[in-house]
Amino acid sequence: MNVSLRRAAYALLGAFLVLAVSVTYVQAINAPEYRDDPRNPRVVAWRTGRERGPIVTSDRVVVAESRPSPNDPTLFQRAYPFDGLYAHTVGYTSVLFGSRGLERTHASELTSNRDSTISGVLNGILGGDTRPRGLRLTIDHRLQQVATDALGQQRGAVIALDPKTGAVLALVSYPSFDPNSLIGLDAAQAGADLENDPDQPLRNRVSDETYAPGSVFKIVTTAAGLDTGLVSPSSEFPDPVELELPGSSSTIKNFDGEVCRAGTQVSLEYAFVHSCNTTFAQLGMKLGGEELARHANQFGFNKLVPFDLETLVSFFPDDGSLNDNLPATAQSAIGQLDVQTTPLLVALSGAAVANGGEMMVPYLVYDIFTSDGTVESSTVPMVWRRAMSPATASVLSGLMEQAVVSGTGKKAAVPGVRIAGKTGTAQVTGKAPHAWFVGFGPVEPEPDEQSIVVAVVVESGGDFGESATGGSVAAPIAQKVLATFFE
Amino acid sequence: MTRTAETGLIIAAAILAAVGVGIVEFTKDNWLNAQVVVTFGVFVIAFGGIQIAVRRWASGASSLLLPTVAFLTAIGFIEIYRLDGHLAAIQRWSMLIAAAAGVGLLWLLRNTGVGVLRRYRYVLLAVGVLFLMLPLLPDGWPLHGAVVNGSRLWVRIDVPGLDRVLSFQPGEIGKVLVTIFLASYLAERSEAMATIDRKIGPFKLPEPRHLFPVLVAAGIAFVILIYQRDLGASLLLFGLFIGMLYIATGRSFYLVTGALAAVAGGAAAYSTFSHVQRRIDAWLDPFGHFSDAGYQSVQALFAMGSGSLTGSGIGLGRPDLIPAAETDFIFAAIAEEMGLAGSLAVIAAFALLVAAGFGIAIRSRDLFRKYLAGGLTIVLALQAIIILGGVLRVMPVTGITLPFMSYGGSSLLANTAIIALLLRISDEERA
């Protein structure tokens, strides 16, 4: 009798031992995994319930602020007054979906230092300012609005920045989303809908998406030709209807399937202004895959752009695969085949031309201010890399100005301002082409004159579909932003 | 342990509960208030009352049980208070009522001893089974069953002219009554059941009719599982039947057939009932069923993981995010706010209680008392193991209360009755 009682006792006490071991496993060994799971609302709830600093544009329009929560007066609720207008820059903080955008990358400044950590408590005791800081963006509210309206309901992206400093003046990605919807009562459903949307509204198409650049890549190819001293704008190239690629049966044609100029010889300048593929394919083959890749890398391809938002690396084949492969080199030289770039890097390449060949680090936060409005720190513009020599930049600038004056970029012209630009119409298999434009102004600005560079991509031709070109679809969008800037 | 030490530990538990309530108030920026005093008073009255009854009518009783129970009740109460002050106020009344019932039980049995219960065993069985089945009463009757969280284990009384609905879980009391019956039945039959053997090859098998109790156990457990959708109660009753049969006969045959029946029943339930299937699937992969069946389990893991070693501190975590934190999942809430330190203390206290209970059973000379003490201890132990195992993902989640810690009057009443009976039995061995 007592034998079976003892056995039963040992069995049940053994079960408690198993429970003790498993609770130790859950709370000691596996604890960090559970604690930091993005679906664990604790950390985010604590973060979102506290006051966060405001985010304002460069012209001090409030685009994110903490308001007292309607449910609990001791807590705050984040509000985004312009709904989707700044969604991809500012992002959100949500109990259910964590955080994104500047709300994520600048979380430490935007939240109060007053917490239960040792340093937080010490800071509070020693009388340090523990209230959350605010962010002032480089984005201009009016430009942001104009760029958004200009893109309209076409999938794509617009980015404007100051070529001298790298300050981003407008950042638009369509489709967008309303960050307020991820906070309210129906947040779970709204978030699921956004994540499942085939158009990917959550994705920031400016920096977190890559496209074939098409002819906007000719900026890089031209810079490579000029930098190496291989060519000058007056260099003459044969002008065939169709360029046969050595060692293969494929050919490269110009956009309209015609010769570039008269069918005999064409200058590099004329070819650039009219964006002739045949000429740049020849230039690419002349340079060779290795040289082309070296210059693409100087322009920031295969490098991660230092940026406050999620950013993809733009791709140009630099693994030697273009060596001794002239057809691929020719295709790559006109921004086709495997070449992929973010609109951000296209804007930066235009900016480098405008800025004497130097590419600045793009930035979104102008300064960080304390709760009483004093500026605590300002972003100091920094050079990211040198893309080309000053002389090359100056020559390219002239070529790009000609493209707007008399070439493919006419629709980007702004009366009274010297605008330079380059169009692109990137062929995509099975889909309508992507329409590109990158342009800047004024050309050769006075030392204290404000300048701007704008890059636009419209996916799959936008409203124009198959018949879209960079000049017809993307250039007019850039024109509206440029015109507003120079008003 | 002396009675004085016991009194000291009970007062310590009362102070623990009062300090816990004070900390909760403090985290809400309130200074000490009446809640602290009331809580201290209720603990002293409830446990002090039982101890006075023990001194008067069961002076030889074990002094290990009450302080352990007071400790568990205090920890549970702090967490209930932290989650919902309103529920905590009701729980204090439940504590007083349960303590009064415990005192009443000790008084009733003061002269006769627990042996008197044998006389009424069929009445107790009838009432016990009735209680277990009460929730099946159809809706619309003045006394009717009710479904809460998908399980039909509640009974509601609509009192005419009264807005409030009285509701309770009769199954909690039912399981104690059934334990008393089983102890009494087995005290008479166990010898016969243990000695008669048939041999088939190397295997010793009892008479086929001795299989009957196992079948009855499986049958009742299955009825509860099907009609009340209550996995926890069904598992508890089945475990109790098998455990008591094993204790009484010493035959591992019952454990083996019991385990086979449980596996077979579980497999049948898995393939037949979608709610059982969901629970098992959620157990195997809670993160894969995050948005539905696995949600509660995952929230409990998040809570316990966030609590880590020392916990978030009472009132500083988010145990309110765990579904059913005040009742079935109170352990996860405690683990979050009091950390691994707190959760190990709770498990150790339950282990101590179970060890003390088996100690009483082993020391009992009378078979009925022996089986009764063993059975009651098994009920306590299984309840704790089933729900803690569910919360910690050692086994699938089955809704069942954690004795002395979960919010709920019926559970507190039944478990206090178990403690009163154990106290009584331990006293009778000294006498």
Side-chain angles (χ1 to χ4, degrees), chain A residues 87-165:
Chain A
H88 293 103
T89 306
V90 169
Y92 53 77
T93 18
S94 147
V95 176
L96 291 172
F97 299 98
S99 56
R100 212 185 182 100
L102 293 179
E103 290 271 35
R104 184 189 190 95
T105 43
H106 286 267
S108 60
E109 291 99 351
L110 287 169
T111 46
S112 160
N113 294 332
R114 216 185 92 192
D115 54 26
S116 52
T117 63
I118 293 172
S119 63
V121 171
L122 270 182
N123 200 6
I125 291 170
L126 298 174
D129 185 0
T130 56
R131 285 169 297 177
R133 272 84 170 138
L135 302 182
R136 185 175 160 213
L137 304 180
T138 52
I139 292 183
D140 181 274
H141 184 59
R142 202 169 50 123
L143 278 184
Q144 177 75 12
Q145 190 74 61
V146 166
T148 305
D149 294 346
L151 182 60
Q153 297 187 350
Q154 305 179 91
R155 275 181 293 120
V158 179
I159 177 170
L161 45 85
D162 180 343
K164 289 179 188 170
T165 62

Side-chain angles (χ1 to χ4, degrees), chain A residues 78-299:
Chain A
R78 201 67 165 154
Y80 304 94
F82 292 96
D83 300 343
L85 189 56
Y86 290 91
H88 293 103
T89 306
V90 169
Y92 53 77
T93 18
S94 147
V95 176
L96 291 172
F97 299 98
S99 56
R100 212 185 182 100
L102 293 179
E103 290 271 35
R104 184 189 190 95
T105 43
H106 286 267
S108 60
E109 291 99 351
L110 287 169
T111 46
S112 160
N113 294 332
R114 216 185 92 192
D115 54 26
S116 52
T117 63
I118 293 172
S119 63
V121 171
L122 270 182
N123 200 6
I125 291 170
L126 298 174
D129 185 0
T130 56
R131 285 169 297 177
R133 272 84 170 138
L135 302 182
R136 185 175 160 213
L137 304 180
T138 52
I139 292 183
D140 181 274
H141 184 59
R142 202 169 50 123
L143 278 184
Q144 177 75 12
Q145 190 74 61
V146 166
T148 305
D149 294 346
L151 182 60
Q153 297 187 350
Q154 305 179 91
R155 275 181 293 120
V158 179
I159 177 170
L161 45 85
D162 180 343
K164 289 179 188 170
T165 62
V168 175
L169 303 173
L171 188 153
V172 179
S173 173
Y174 186 89
S176 188
F177 62 96
D178 181 1
N180 293 304
S181 72
L182 298 174
I183 293 168
L185 289 172
D186 301 322
Q189 187 57 48
D193 288 350
L194 286 173
E195 274 168 14
N196 297 330
D197 191 326
D199 281 340
Q200 296 188 294
L202 290 171
R203 177 167 284 228
N204 173 14
R205 288 169 155 79
V206 167
S207 61
D208 199 20
E209 182 67 284
T210 59
Y211 303 90
S215 296
V216 288
F217 188 78
K218 287 172 186 164
I219 295 173
V220 178
T221 308
T222 308
L226 294 171
D227 255 2
T228 48
L230 202 65
V231 288
S232 71
S234 54
S235 300
E236 296 281 322
F237 284 84
D239 184 13
V241 178
E242 210 174 48
L243 179 68
E244 284 175 13
L245 299 178
S248 87
S249 57
S250 55
T251 58
I252 283 181
K253 287 184 233 174
N254 291 326
F255 180 73
D256 49 8
E258 297 289 329
V259 293
C260 182
R261 192 168 192 177
T264 49
Q265 294 278 302
V266 63
S267 72
L268 182 70
E269 177 174 12
Y270 188 92
F272 187 94
V273 171
H274 298 276
S275 200
C276 298
N277 290 340
T278 46
T279 314
F280 286 89
Q282 292 177 62
L283 174 56
M285 289 189 285
K286 215 168 179 180
L287 281 160
E290 205 172 329
E291 195 64 26
L292 208 49
R294 194 169 69 80
H295 282 84
N297 283 345
Q298 279 182 24
F299 268 81

Side-chain angles (χ1 to χ4, degrees), chain A residues 1-2 4 7 27 40 42, chain B residues 247 306 335-336 343 370-371:
Chain A
M1 234 95 328
N2 281 346
S4 51
R7 281 190 190 145
Q27 294 203 267
N40 185 348
R42 277 165 189 75
Chain B
I247 286 174
S306 304
E336 174 177 4
S343 40
K370 192 180 277 294
Y371 298 161

Side-chain angles (χ1 to χ4, degrees), chain B residues 129-142:
Chain B
V129 172
L130 181 73
F131 272 21
L132 286 170
M133 302 293 173
L134 264 187
L136 299 178
L137 286 177
D139 298 350
W141 291 19

Side-chain angles (χ1 to χ4, degrees), chain A residues 161-169 355 360-363 380-383:
Chain A
L161 45 85
D162 180 343
K164 289 179 188 170
T165 62
V168 175
L169 303 173
N355 194 39
M360 304 302 289
V361 173
Y363 65 97
V380 181
M382 280 192 307
V383 177

Side-chain angles (χ1 to χ4, degrees), chain B residues 106-272:
Chain B
L106 287 167
W107 178 78
L108 271 177
L109 303 172
R110 70 192 183 285
N111 295 325
T112 55
V114 288
V116 73
L117 295 171
R118 300 181 74 166
R119 241 185 274 165
Y120 305 107
R121 66 167 180 259
Y122 286 105
V123 178
L124 294 175
L125 174 69
V127 176
V129 172
L130 181 73
F131 272 21
L132 286 170
M133 302 293 173
L134 264 187
L136 299 178
L137 286 177
D139 298 350
W141 291 19
L143 182 75
H144 61 87
V147 178
V148 176
N149 297 330
S151 289
R152 193 179 185 95
L153 41 119
W154 288 82
V155 170
R156 291 215 163 117
I157 309 172
D158 300 325
V159 186
L162 201 73
D163 277 350
R164 292 187 74 165
V165 180
L166 295 176
S167 57
F168 60 100
Q169 281 180 297
E172 295 277 351
I173 303 293
K175 77 199 173 201
V176 182
L177 300 180
V178 168
T179 311
I180 299 172
F181 164 78
L182 276 176
S184 150
Y185 176 86
L186 291 170
E188 262 173 39
R189 304 282 168 92
S190 65
E191 258 176 76
M193 290 169 74
T195 47
I196 303 169
D197 279 318
R198 296 177 161 202
K199 268 195 177 176
I200 298 174
F203 298 107
K204 283 184 177 178
L205 291 177
E207 291 283 323
R209 65 192 161 99
H210 294 311
L211 275 173
F212 189 64
V214 181
L215 294 175
V216 170
I220 291 183
F222 223 69
V223 165
I224 290 172
L225 176 71
I226 294 166
Y227 290 104
Q228 303 181 357
R229 303 184 132 226
D230 186 358
L231 289 171
S234 131
L235 196 58
L236 170 63
L237 277 176
F238 190 71
L240 170 70
F241 276 47
I242 300 303
M244 288 191 75
L245 281 170
Y246 173 69
I247 286 174
T249 61
R251 289 257 157 268
S252 39
F253 165 78
Y254 287 109
L255 293 182
V256 174
T257 48
L260 289 176
V263 169
Y270 181 82
S271 55
T272 318

